Amino acid sequence: GGGRILSAPLSTGRLGPGPGGRAILFDSRRGEDWVLIIVGGLPEGTGPYQGYVVMQGGRYSLGRLWPSAPGEMTTYKIFSRRDLAVSGSVVVLDRDGNLALRGTLSAGA
């Protein structure tokens, strides 16, 4: 880990207003990397929603997104034994496994 903070705006990929949010990944120097997702505007009827960080060779669960404020949901996970430095993106899937939101992680986002 390099102590870097990576960020990804999360969106549906469609133009115009709609659901969205942000993912933040901290690449710790001491091996406790973490990811936080905060989203809003997702329809309640297609939940529950699950967050994942996508890395080379796999997709790792961040867990279920839970209400954190009116119209907002979050999830957070610490990875004590996995280096997230090679993570490329974060995705949020609906209850049927369909893509709800996606974002590409970068240091400048």
Side-chain angles (χ1 to χ4, degrees):
R4 298 181 309 148
I5 296 175
L6 304 176
S7 179
L10 301 173
S11 70
T12 62
R14 298 184 191 109
L15 295 176
R22 181 157 298 272
I24 300 170
L25 181 149
F26 179 67
D27 177 27
S28 172
R29 290 190 171 116
R30 292 199 162 74
E32 287 197 343
D33 297 358
W34 55 262
V35 180
L36 168 68
I37 294 177
I38 303 170
V39 301
L42 289 172
E44 291 181 24
T46 56
Y49 295 92
Q50 299 285 328
Y52 296 89
V53 61
V54 181
M55 301 180 351
Q56 297 171 349
R59 180 176 79 179
Y60 300 92
S61 177
L62 302 172
R64 182 177 174 177
L65 279 76
W66 293 94
S68 55
E72 180 181 285
M73 292 185 281
T74 62
T75 191
Y76 174 86
K77 184 166 184 178
I78 297 172
F79 290 83
S80 59
R81 290 187 164 67
R82 183 165 307 281
D83 183 9
L84 300 180
V86 296
S87 299
S89 62
V90 171
V91 296
V92 175
L93 306 181
D94 68 14
R95 71 168 171 246
D96 296 324
N98 298 313
L99 184 65
L101 299 170
R102 176 184 171 82
T104 301
L105 291 161
S106 71

